[in-house]
């Protein structure tokens, strides 16, 4: 997996990454499925649909062998991203915060029990915009396994019960104001789908 060539000066290949890359997103950025993503005037947005790993109990410096014991379940997340508000910083290795973690920019679906997904490394994630399918990606393409991601994140900082690790997206695409976006795991009940609509900020209406 790699970023689109027009999004970076030097496109990184999967082999260039020796460990997972992280950005911190406060839970205050999250909204429940069905909520609206508020987009400031003039900001160009993009969709990404991702599998979220819900941590079941506090942990630190977890080994890869033990990491899956700390998975409580999963969620489907729309990782809404601003293309025109700091996205270009990624090509310089700078912070992703401004274009990733503003309020309402992380619509999150209903909690999925761990037992509902037999193999989280064989999940097909589907994204639709205004009812049209725009992406179909598989977690089988992840460079780092979920266990490797948990081990790396818990070595970086202690993880707490309820923390959600986003495992990354295989693709992204443009959105416009008023678009309705859906993300879901193929084969799971519709109750686990995450939905949102792009709208102006409340104070701009």
């Amino acid at each position: 997996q790699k970023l689109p060539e027009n999004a970076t000066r030097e496109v990184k290949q999967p082999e260039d990454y020796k460990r997972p890359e992280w950005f911190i997103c406060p839970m205050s950025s999250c909204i429940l499925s069905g909520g609206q993503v508020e987009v400031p005037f003039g900001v160009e947005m993009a969709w990404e649909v991702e599998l979220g790993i819900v941590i079941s109990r506090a942990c630190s410096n977890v080994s890869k062998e033990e990491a899956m014991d700390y998975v409580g379940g999963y969620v489907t997340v729309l990782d809404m991203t601003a293309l025109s508000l700091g996205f270009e910083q990624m090509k310089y290795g700078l912070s992703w915060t401004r274009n990733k973690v503003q309020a309402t920019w992380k619509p999150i679906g209903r909690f999925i029990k761990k037992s509902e997904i037999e193999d989280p490394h064989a999940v097909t994630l589907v994204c639709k915009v205004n009812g049209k399918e725009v992406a179909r990606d598989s977690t089988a393409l992840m460079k780092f396994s979920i266990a490797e991601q948990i081990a790396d994140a818990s070595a970086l900082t202690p993880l707490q019960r309820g923390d959600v690790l986003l495992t990354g997206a295989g693709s992204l695409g443009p959105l416009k104001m008023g678009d309705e976006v859906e993300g879901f795991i193929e084969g799971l009940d519709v109750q686990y789908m995450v939905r949102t609509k792009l709208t102006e900020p409340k104070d701009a209406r």
Side-chain angles (χ1 to χ4, degrees), residues 153-191:
S154 69
L156 179 64
T157 187
L159 301 178
Q160 302 297 322
R161 174 183 171 87
D163 281 350
V164 179
L165 303 182
L166 301 190
T167 56
S171 54
L172 79 167
L175 292 168
K176 61 181 183 302
M177 195 68 73
D179 280 349
E180 297 183 357
V181 189
E182 300 174 346
F184 60 92
I185 295 172
E186 189 173 58
L188 283 193
D189 192 276
V190 69
Q191 66 176 311

Side-chain angles (χ1 to χ4, degrees), residues 80-153:
M80 309 300 279
T81 302
L83 297 177
S84 60
L85 197 65
F87 190 79
E88 64 181 21
Q89 294 180 158
M90 294 165 57
K91 60 191 177 187
Y92 302 116
L94 302 177
S95 173
W96 294 15
T97 302
R98 193 172 300 277
N99 71 310
K100 283 283 193 181
V101 301
Q102 296 198 35
T104 75
W105 285 13
K106 292 293 173 286
I108 189 168
R110 187 172 180 174
F111 177 76
I112 305 167
K113 292 181 180 180
K114 187 177 181 179
S115 59
E116 289 287 330
I117 297 180
E118 182 176 354
D119 182 2
H121 298 94
V123 165
T124 297
L125 292 157
V126 180
C127 185
K128 291 186 176 181
V129 177
N130 301 324
K132 180 181 179 181
E133 185 174 313
V134 294
R136 178 176 292 267
D137 296 314
S138 173
T139 55
L141 299 176
M142 293 189 299
K143 178 176 176 63
F144 301 103
S145 70
I146 291 171
E148 289 173 321
Q149 293 182 50
I150 293 172
D152 186 76

Side-chain angles (χ1 to χ4, degrees), residues 23-32 35-40 43 45 78-82 85 96-108 196-203 205:
F23 65 91
I24 304 297
C25 180
M27 291 301 289
S28 57
S29 299
C30 298
I31 57 173
L32 296 177
Q36 296 183 329
V37 171
E38 298 184 8
V39 183
V43 174
M45 299 293 291
L78 290 172
D79 182 11
M80 309 300 279
T81 302
L85 197 65
W96 294 15
T97 302
R98 193 172 300 277
N99 71 310
K100 283 283 193 181
V101 301
Q102 296 198 35
T104 75
W105 285 13
K106 292 293 173 286
I108 189 168
T196 193
K197 181 178 181 178
L198 270 63
T199 185
E200 296 178 343
K202 293 178 181 178
D203 56 8
R205 298 173 198 168

